[in-house]
């Protein structure tokens, strides 16, 4: 079986850069200036986050008459607490632009 992969995927664990020296082995990555659609997620991970992600890419974005995905990045935000808890809070941020 062969696969054609149109792009590469990088998974980056990051924090907000507040200036100063950058530790060796780390890179400052500046995101383009986007508007963001933020999708809250509640429930145990990874399933709750995967369910929201699927709805974004298969339902919300293709069916949205006003916005499209302009970029090559999205953000997964993980809250404090137990990721396996039924009330765990996370979010997915995707950049959007008006069609």
């Amino acid at each position: 079986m062969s696969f054609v992969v149109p792009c590469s995927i990088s998974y980056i664990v990051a924090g907000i850069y507040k200036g100063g020296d950058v530790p060796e082995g780390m890179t400052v990555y500046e995101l383009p200036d986007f508007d963001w659609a933020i999708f809250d997620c509640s429930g145990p991970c990874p399933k709750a986050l995967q369910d929201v992600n699927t709805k974004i890419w298969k339902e919300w974005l293709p069916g949205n008459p006003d916005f499209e995905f302009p970029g090559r990045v999205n953000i997964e935000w993980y809250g404090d607490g137990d990721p396996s808890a039924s009330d765990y809070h996370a979010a997915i941020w995707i950049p959007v632009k008006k069609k």
Side-chain angles (χ1 to χ4, degrees):
M1 179 179 282
S2 299
F3 295 94
V4 176
V5 180
C7 64
S8 64
I9 296 175
S10 297
Y11 190 86
I12 300 168
V13 177
I16 296 173
Y17 175 65
K18 297 178 182 176
D21 293 336
V22 177
E24 186 176 333
M26 299 189 90
T27 302
V28 174
Y29 180 77
E30 196 166 322
L31 294 175
D33 188 21
F34 290 125
D35 289 323
W36 296 86
I38 301 172
F39 300 87
D40 285 324
C41 175
S42 183
C45 283
K47 185 174 181 344
L49 202 60
Q50 290 168 341
D51 289 348
V52 170
N53 197 48
T54 297
K55 286 181 181 181
I56 292 168
W57 298 103
K58 289 191 174 184
E59 296 175 21
W60 185 82
L61 198 55
N64 193 305
D66 299 320
F67 295 102
E68 62 187 1
F69 179 66
R72 302 181 333 225
V73 64
N74 66 304
I75 296 172
E76 292 179 4
W77 174 84
Y78 298 90
D80 293 331
D82 179 2
S84 64
S86 62
D87 63 347
Y88 183 70
H89 183 225
I92 297 175
W93 294 28
I94 64 164
V96 292
K97 75 173 187 177
K98 284 255 187 208
K99 288 184 178 178

